[in-house]
Amino acid sequence: MRYAIISDIHSNLEAFRSVLGVIDSSSVDNIICLGDIVGYGADPNECVEIIKSRNISSLIGNHDRAACGLTEPAGFNPAARQAALWTRSELTDENKDYLKNLPGEDVVDGFMIVHGAPSDPDKYILSAHDAAPEFQHLKNRSLCFFGHTHVSVAYSLSDGRVSSSRERVCSIRDGVSYLINPGSVGQPRDRDPRASFVIYDDRGEAEFRRVEYAVEIARKKIIDSGLDRFLGERLTVGY
Ligand code: ZN
């Protein structure tokens, strides 16, 4: 089986469509989203509707929870908070209900998927040091995909040692555990503005992919929607 693992779309329709275009020509059997479908960008309803119409299994992310009213964006920075409340006012009731019913974590065909970290959906795994304790929470699985940081990376645990890799291909080996972040479709933060995702082949390989998209259109839509200018500008630098 070949899976496309996507995360953190953040209402960026241009990036999402471009990624789906690549996925559709990559012999993928199943698309899985790790959450944060909405928040930050200008097209929340359109992005939720694509997830629904294509039957993409998705988790709920912290921005989805705030946008559908399950939580208040109290801990968000001002631009993120404004975007969450704007998204809440834009989303149809039907799309809010859809988001509310998404699971917080899941196990798919033997691997685990979470938004932030296996121990806590809101935790950021930003380093091998952050990743190390998370390997104890994999529920007897040896592979987990996570998002939330918007930075693509693979952490592995082998012989008690955790290491990180940003190689394009991560080989999945027996006896080693993996925590893999596909990066963000709609708001990459690793100084590469291209949309990021992973193709995981269960014969033993996870491949990081980057996709160019119409950043300028997404940027302009954010500014024209009255969202914080910074949310548009950061797309152009991928940070
Ligand atoms: Zn996010």
Side-chain angles (χ1 to χ4, degrees):
M1 283 276 281
R2 279 165 65 80
Y3 304 82
I5 314 288
I6 61 175
S7 191
D8 297 277
I9 299 162
H10 284 296
S11 305
N12 185 334
L13 182 61
E14 287 68 34
F16 192 17
R17 279 196 182 136
S18 296
V19 162
L20 288 172
V22 172
I23 289 172
D24 289 341
S25 59
S26 301
S27 312
V28 162
D29 302 297
N30 197 357
I31 308 175
I32 291 165
C33 175
L34 308 179
D36 278 3
I37 302 165
V38 303
Y40 292 134
D43 290 305
N45 284 306
E46 290 78 358
C47 290
V48 174
E49 274 147 27
I50 291 173
I51 294 275
K52 291 191 322 196
S53 69
R54 296 197 46 151
N55 268 323
I56 296 172
S57 325
S58 181
L59 301 176
I60 190 166
N62 54 318
H63 285 259
D64 303 319
R65 288 206 311 272
C68 70
L70 281 178
T71 55
E72 290 307 317
F76 287 20
N77 68 51
R81 188 182 318 131
Q82 185 219 357
L85 298 175
W86 178 87
T87 303
R88 191 185 288 178
S89 71
E90 288 286 312
L91 280 173
T92 64
D93 288 343
E94 203 183 336
N95 286 339
K96 278 185 204 163
D97 284 342
Y98 180 81
L99 292 175
K100 279 179 192 166
N101 288 304
L102 294 176
E105 63 172 55
D106 208 352
V107 172
V108 183
D109 302 341
F111 60 88
M112 192 175 175
I113 54 172
V114 299
H115 181 64
S119 68
D120 175 353
D122 289 337
K123 178 180 170 182
Y124 292 91
I125 301 177
L126 293 162
S127 63
H129 182 264
D130 295 340
E134 297 299 328
F135 286 99
Q136 297 163 23
H137 298 271
L138 299 192
K139 299 185 175 166
N140 294 322
R141 316 285 169 180
S142 58
L143 173 62
C144 175
F145 292 97
F146 70 100
H148 197 36
T149 66
H150 301 204
V151 175
S152 61
V153 63
Y155 297 107
S156 56
L157 171 67
S158 178
D159 296 329
R161 262 202 57 201
V162 178
S163 44
S164 67
S165 166
R166 300 208 59 204
E167 301 279 313
R168 196 179 60 81
V169 174
C170 173
S171 298
I172 308 292
R173 289 176 287 133
D174 287 342
V176 181
S177 297
Y178 297 88
L179 279 162
I180 298 179
N181 189 327
S184 169
V185 169
Q187 195 198 76
R189 293 181 191 160
D190 47 10
R191 301 194 185 276
D192 179 344
R194 294 176 298 168
S196 184
F197 74 103
V198 155
I199 291 183
Y200 166 57
D201 188 316
D202 66 3
R203 286 171 297 186
E205 188 176 279
E207 183 188 3
F208 292 92
R209 303 287 295 264
R210 301 303 286 236
V211 182
E212 306 238 13
Y213 74 95
V215 174
E216 189 47 41
I217 295 175
R219 183 192 77 92
K220 187 167 185 307
K221 278 186 182 174
I222 285 172
I223 293 166
D224 291 349
S225 299
L227 292 162
D228 195 304
R229 212 180 166 82
F230 164 67
L231 298 177
E233 302 301 348
R234 71 186 305 175
L235 299 181
T236 66
V237 287
Y239 195 67

